[in-house]
Amino acid sequence: MAGVELKNLSKSYGDVEVLHDINLSIADGEFVVFVGPSGCGKSTLLRMIAGLEEVTGGDLLIGEKRANDLSPRQRDIAMVFQSYALYPQMTVAENMGFSLSLEKRSKKEIAEKVQEAADALKLGPFLNRKPGQLSGGQRQRVAIGRAIVRNPQVFLLDEPLSNLDAALRSETRVEISELHQRMGVTMIYVTHDQVEAMTMADRIVVLNGGYIEQVGSPMDLYNHPATEFVAGFIGSPKMNFIKGRYAVAAGTTTLGVRPEHLTIGEGDDTWEGKVTLVERLGHDTILYVRVPDAGILTVSLNGQHNQNVGDTVRLRPNPDFIHRFDDQGKPNAADLVQGQG
Amino acid sequence: MGRWVLLFILGVIAILMVSPLVLTVFTSLKPTTELVNPPWYPPISLTFEHYVRVWTEGGFSRYFFNTLLISVVDAIVMIVIASLAAYAMVFMEFRGKLVLQVLFLIGLMIPVTAIVLPLFQIVRSFGLLNTHLGVIFADLALAVSIFVFMFSSFFMGVPKALHEAARIDGATEFQIYRRVVMPIATPAVVTTALLEFLWSWNDLLLRLLLMTKDEMRTLSVGLLNFQGTMTRDVTGLSSGTVIMAIPVVLLFLFFQRHFVRGMTAGAVK
């Protein structure tokens, strides 16, 4: 096992730089998730660590060894691809044992290691099947098994759940987290799904436009977003951003309030608006409320509520959880302001 | 109504296509006495005497071996060369790749007949006239471009992630080629084998040019023996043609499914 260190790492295609001055230290055994919108550079960064993309600037260290010029095979890493990338002509067992066969390990050793991984992933009954005869979830487990068998220093996962349906995705999410706890190996996971990032990561790296916006634990990012972008990206439903008179009254450019920090209430410190849409999820009720001068605000109410479209409601922001951002999208301070009525 | 018209047109085309083959088979099986009948008359009493004569006295047993040897070697070597070149073109980055691609493209554009004389000089300068090797080299050089493009179009359909996964697994480029990419390239391999075999089997020009000794001749050149300036051995020519056609027809029937898949590879996603 090993940690990974990125020092002033950058990536250019010709004259176009797509990743800028990335500095990050990933500890041995840590589960780090790269998250960000499409095109932010998270997959490119992962592929640079894997050795599939050339590093054009800075240093990449794996286990304190400079890895910039090492081929993927010399880096002792394993990777799980979004498309599974299983060899279609090989059986599950052959897929999982392929890397070991390349290392010229004995057939007995390969069979033992494959069986061990297959048992851990409940793939035992499928070892003689070809990938085409498996479901999406089974294929994904084979791809994970192929990585486990190698016992790598670093485990890389590139959006491994995005081809699975919602139920299977949450199931596999748990399995990957358990796997990390069991193996204790360094894992770097790329996703655009902030729920995956929040639920699995020890630390999240939020990328935007080729820059790191913020690095921190899931709760750090949720409670103390370093930028307006992070505030909007982390949390579901996403944070409400309010400009105009309410923001000016609070002495800032933009106010940020998470939907779960808005409640229905009365009094001067509330904002009046009209319900435009209601989503009833059973455990939560999501209201979309048009507030004059603030736009449409999302409100997440715990439990079941009886508001309907067209109702007038008054929203009270929880004063302990209001974020203020300046015109650069940076927080004014770690301050909390009283909502204005 | 439209369907019947279409069937009629297709039927006429089919008859036009098949009739030369049928007439050839009829003629090859007729005793000499029946040759006075019109050619579309089926043989009344079947005989294989012309086949025996062509095979033994006509030297076709030797020609058949020569043709088979050249065609099989052509096909096998072509698969190896073209697939390796295409693999490099599709999966690897190297200096001069674009130049090489342009050269292959030029190779597609130049007709054999335009370079027959320089080709003859080159083969002679290597001392390979009247050798199987000379013809094999010429065959490979002249057709390699088209098969590189065929393999390239097939390889482009192979997900890049497969290649990357194999690199991560620790495979070298040659191991990826041999163990990951080629096992799934069966349609392209079969198509290349069939087409190269067929072209080599049927080619007349290069064999006539590069192999003048009788013991080196191939079937296509051997057929010319039955045709003089003033006379023509129709039964010998017909049975020789059938002997020459049978292996190719059998190969196509056997590998038809793979062949069609190979020809259309890369056409759609």
Side-chain angles (χ1 to χ4, degrees), chain B residues 71 192-203 248 251-252:
Chain B
S71 302
T192 302
L194 278 181
L195 277 183
E196 178 59 19
F197 184 90
L198 176 72
W199 291 347
S200 174
W201 189 268
N202 288 342
D203 180 66
V248 177
L251 274 176
F252 266 86

Side-chain angles (χ1 to χ4, degrees), chain B residues 50-64:
Chain B
H50 308 303
Y51 286 96
V52 176
R53 179 169 57 88
V54 164
W55 190 257
T56 54
E57 295 166 29
F60 262 46
S61 54
R62 177 75 198 167
Y63 302 158
F64 191 91

Side-chain angles (χ1 to χ4, degrees), chain A residues 65-77:
Chain A
K65 187 176 167 190
R66 192 171 181 275
N68 286 37
D69 304 318
L70 297 182
S71 68
R73 63 193 300 218
Q74 293 168 314
R75 296 185 187 204
D76 195 11
I77 41 115

